[in-house]
Amino acid sequence: MSKEKIILGIDPGTTIMGFGLIKVVGKKMQFIQLNELDLKKYNNHYLKLKLIFERTVELIDTHHPDEIAIEAPFFGKNVQSMLKLGRAQGVAMAAGLSREVPITEYAPKKIKMAITGNGNASKEQVAKMLQSLLGLKTLPKNLDSMDGLAAAVCHFYNEGRVEVGKSYSGWSAFVKQNENRIKK
């Protein structure tokens, strides 16, 4: 009997949060959905974080993913952007942890490498490869949703490998693995 599971991939952002879902049956993956949460029209950063949390919980409650793969923020030149991305990622992670869904985070280069074989691939190259792998007829206008889907596919490809990134199965696991972050 083939084991089935659903993986939710998230590309967190405070302008657009991209997400994609795949179903894994045995050793094959099937496309379920991809979409994005457009946050451009909101000026309040805290409202954006609330909406990211609510949408992530809604996705979890609707699709019941067994695991979440999330893209880690990348280190850019703008510290403020990095902080905002980190908050968006943290809120999405908190939503998953609140529903006790295991989470694994992947660096953007690791995701690109898993999908295309090139850690420096462009968004367009990743999207085209996903289109081919999953038999998607068309690509969305905005590729942020494809980045979320790429995180899910990366997780599928890395399954069973010893070191795939940081993985958390709940709040207690997060705290145990990040004791150095706790103020005493």
Side-chain angles (χ1 to χ4, degrees), residues 8-74:
L8 168 61
I10 299 174
D11 176 27
T14 55
T15 306
I16 295 174
M17 177 184 90
F19 58 88
L21 288 136
I22 58 170
K23 179 193 252 184
V24 177
V25 181
K27 294 188 183 282
K28 295 189 180 203
M29 61 180 159
Q30 302 167 357
F31 171 75
I32 297 176
Q33 174 189 358
L34 66 93
N35 209 332
E36 59 191 35
L37 173 62
D38 188 347
L39 299 161
K40 285 182 255 176
K41 62 187 169 203
Y42 303 102
N43 290 328
N44 184 316
H45 182 66
Y46 302 106
L47 175 59
K48 290 180 179 188
L49 295 175
K50 177 181 182 277
L51 294 169
I52 291 167
F53 183 88
E54 289 173 348
R55 182 65 174 126
T56 305
V57 165
E58 180 186 333
L59 286 165
I60 293 167
D61 290 348
T62 301
H63 297 283
H64 309 288
D66 299 285
E67 298 169 6
I68 295 174
I70 192 162
E71 185 172 317
F74 58 91

Side-chain angles (χ1 to χ4, degrees), residues 76-134:
K77 293 178 182 165
N78 186 331
V79 175
Q80 285 301 316
S81 294
M82 180 68 182
L83 283 170
K84 287 179 179 178
L85 274 176
R87 287 177 179 167
Q89 181 201 31
V91 166
M93 290 172 79
L97 293 169
S98 76
R99 294 295 196 259
E100 298 186 5
V101 181
I103 299 166
T104 304
E105 62 181 319
Y106 294 94
K109 282 185 180 276
K110 183 154 184 125
I111 293 172
K112 291 174 181 181
M113 180 64 100
I115 305 302
T116 68
N118 175 2
N120 294 314
S122 68
K123 270 184 179 287
E124 293 76 15
Q125 289 170 314
V126 172
K128 284 288 192 190
M129 185 60 85
L130 287 171
Q131 184 179 24
S132 174
L133 287 169
L134 296 168

